[in-house]
Amino acid sequence: MQLNDPNFDKSAFIKKLETTIYVMFVLPLAFFGYAFLEREASGELRSVFYEEPDVMFHAVMAAGIGYVLMRTLTTWKRDALKVLKQIPELDMKLIKLRKSILYRNLMWSFGAIIGAFGLYEKGDMVYALVFSLFLVLITANRPSPKYFANFFGLKGEERKWMEE
């Protein structure tokens, strides 16, 4: 196992990264709460999506959601691993991956804002599902020692170091 800095504190690094990600999600969460409570108070929440469709609005929202999902789910891991393949030190891989993880989670926060805006604008509960999708993506892919061990496909000594 190679490390660039033998004193690298991976626990502090991971905790700081996780905190930053959750701070980025505060704005979408607050906006969703406001939109939901606002629509609920006025009795305008609708569970039927196609009752009075605004096709143009829903198409634009679907395009935005599709773009965010395509950018973050289809090629993100492959591209990140391709760039990190040249770096042998595990601590440097974590440091280099930080910006990419923040970008991915910023995109997911943007997708959550799209869901909250759709709920605020139209009151369709399908946008609550969109918001929930991004909430699940953010929490399921939160940085943790186990996440990084699986992400890099670590085995043996490297996996043990990462998960300690």
Side-chain angles (χ1 to χ4, degrees):
M1 179 177 79
Q2 292 183 346
L3 293 175
N4 187 44
D5 178 10
N7 298 323
F8 179 72
D9 186 1
K10 70 178 176 336
S11 297
F13 174 81
I14 291 171
K15 187 59 79 178
K16 185 177 178 184
L17 183 60
E18 183 179 31
T19 302
T20 304
I21 288 168
Y22 283 127
V23 166
M24 285 189 316
F25 193 62
V26 167
L27 181 63
L29 187 60
F31 183 48
F32 177 81
Y34 173 75
F36 186 83
L37 293 174
E38 188 72 23
R39 287 295 174 173
E40 177 66 26
S42 63
E44 297 176 356
L45 281 179
R46 300 182 324 165
S47 61
V48 179
F49 183 65
Y50 293 107
E51 196 170 272
E52 295 174 25
D54 183 352
V55 176
M56 187 61 143
F57 179 84
H58 297 308
V60 169
M61 298 300 269
I65 292 162
Y67 174 76
V68 169
L69 291 174
M70 293 299 287
R71 260 322 254 189
T72 58
L73 293 178
T74 57
T75 61
W76 181 85
K77 182 177 180 178
R78 183 186 62 217
D79 292 345
L81 287 175
K82 188 187 308 181
V83 169
L84 296 174
K85 186 180 274 188
Q86 306 162 3
I87 302 170
E89 299 92 359
L90 195 52
D91 55 344
M92 291 305 295
K93 284 184 179 186
L94 287 172
I95 292 169
K96 295 284 186 188
L97 190 59
R98 181 182 187 279
K99 187 184 283 187
S100 183
I101 288 174
L102 290 175
Y103 168 77
R104 179 188 66 183
N105 282 279
L106 184 65
M107 290 294 287
W108 285 341
S109 291
F110 181 68
I113 287 175
I114 291 173
F117 180 73
L119 182 67
Y120 177 77
E121 193 64 29
K122 296 299 177 187
D124 291 334
M125 287 300 289
V126 71
Y127 291 110
L129 292 173
V130 169
F131 180 86
S132 298
L133 167 73
F134 287 108
L135 176 65
V136 167
L137 285 172
I138 289 170
T139 55
N141 292 291
R142 69 178 185 79
S144 68
K146 186 172 178 91
Y147 172 80
F148 286 118
N150 291 335
F151 182 82
F152 291 125
L154 301 178
K155 293 180 172 70
E157 182 184 348
E158 289 179 329
R159 186 174 195 93
K160 184 179 175 187
W161 178 83
M162 182 61 73
E163 291 182 346
E164 287 180 336

